[in-house]
Amino acid sequence: MASTTATTPTDVAALAEGERRAMAADDVMAEDNGRMGGVAAPTEGRIMRALMAESCVDACVALDAALVAGVEVQPTTCARTLQLCQKHAKAKPALRLLKRMEERGMGGNPVAMRCAFFACAKRGMLREALELMSRRDSTSGERYLGKDVLVRAC
């Protein structure tokens, strides 16, 4: 039976050199495809890693960068990031993300509004919370948030 592993020192050195070159080529490709001006390119994967680590700041920064860059982001990813903002009472990032989502045509859903509302309420930003409460759906004219959120926030 023939073995595919290297048996002589020359074969081992050749394999090591080939692996080193392949890894270097992968690194170059990753730098070309995954970087923009020395900063990691915003991707949904980067946002998801921050969400899994429950790093609110990293998730917000990555999602904000992705939305600004025009990267296609799933609405569920946006909702999960806003839920993390609510959990950690990060009202300003939540409001900024909500604004960016609306600019991209993704905002204006009850889940996003609710998360931003509770983040504001936890932070004591009552004016912003009430402003979110007064927003209405442009098509139906109904409020995004009902009176129940006001009761729960108290």
Side-chain angles (χ1 to χ4, degrees), residues 2 17 51 61 64 78 98 115 130 135 140 153:
E17 181 64 20
L51 287 172
V61 168
D64 190 39
C78 296
L98 192 62
C115 291
L130 292 173
R135 291 192 184 183
S140 67

Side-chain angles (χ1 to χ4, degrees), residues 18 37 46 52 78 96 99 101 106 118 123:
R46 183 173 159 212
M52 288 192 302
C78 296
R96 184 174 41 253
K99 179 183 173 192
M101 287 169 59
M106 297 173 64
F118 283 120
R123 256 333 212 197

Side-chain angles (χ1 to χ4, degrees), residues 82-99 112-133 135 145 149-150 152-154:
L82 286 169
Q83 287 170 346
L84 195 60
C85 288
Q86 175 187 345
K87 180 179 178 182
H88 294 285
K90 300 288 186 185
K92 288 183 181 179
L95 291 172
R96 184 174 41 253
L97 290 175
L98 192 62
K99 179 183 173 192
M113 293 289 181
R114 189 179 199 91
C115 291
F117 174 84
F118 283 120
C120 289
K122 282 183 180 180
R123 256 333 212 197
M125 298 171 64
L126 299 179
R127 184 170 34 120
E128 290 83 355
L130 292 173
E131 197 175 287
L132 288 170
M133 231 149 126
R135 291 192 184 183
L145 302 174
V149 294
L150 188 57
R152 288 182 186 178
C154 293

Side-chain angles (χ1 to χ4, degrees), residues 36 42-43 62-73 100 104 106:
M36 297 183 328
T43 62
L63 179 57
D64 190 39
L67 291 172
V68 168
V71 174
E72 189 67 32
V73 179
R100 297 261 196 241
R104 294 276 319 270
M106 297 173 64

